[in-house]
Amino acid sequence: ARNAAYLEILSKMPWDNFVESTVGVQNTNALPEIYKEGAIFSAAAENYRAAVEKLVLATKSNDEAGVKAAIRGVGPTCGNCHGTFRAWVKL
């Protein structure tokens, strides 16, 4: 429950970095599609926040199966943005 609460706080933070004034900023893995497909990006961000919120609520229910299901819902919504809006760099 504690970690879900931390995740809830963190889930609100990244979006502050994707505003019009950041278009063309160097040394970022953010793809231009963030700005070209702003509605899709915003919807993906909202889906992620909603999944995290479901996780937080599930942790308060003491329902292990519900928590596990909610955890499985967070990963894909997080990965959706990374898969669509982030350039992958080989290390």
Side-chain angles (χ1 to χ4, degrees):
R2 181 195 70 203
N3 290 343
Y6 291 157
L7 186 59
E8 182 179 32
I9 292 166
L10 292 172
S11 74
K12 297 173 184 174
M13 295 173 64
W15 323 113
D16 294 343
N17 297 316
F18 301 106
V19 293
E20 286 297 318
S21 63
T22 63
V23 173
V25 170
Q26 300 298 310
N27 299 320
T28 178
N29 293 332
L31 295 173
E33 282 74 13
I34 288 173
Y35 308 101
K36 293 176 186 173
E37 303 290 341
I40 295 170
F41 180 70
S42 293
E46 184 53 39
N47 288 340
Y48 173 66
R49 286 190 299 264
V52 170
E53 185 176 321
K54 286 180 186 176
L55 174 59
V56 170
L57 291 173
T59 62
K60 295 175 182 179
S61 72
N62 293 321
D63 172 22
E64 183 178 349
V67 172
K68 287 180 179 179
I71 289 170
R72 286 190 297 273
V74 171
T77 60
C78 182
N80 184 39
C81 275
H82 285 252
T84 306
F85 297 106
R86 181 177 189 264
W88 291 94
V89 178
K90 269 189 160 179
L91 299 176

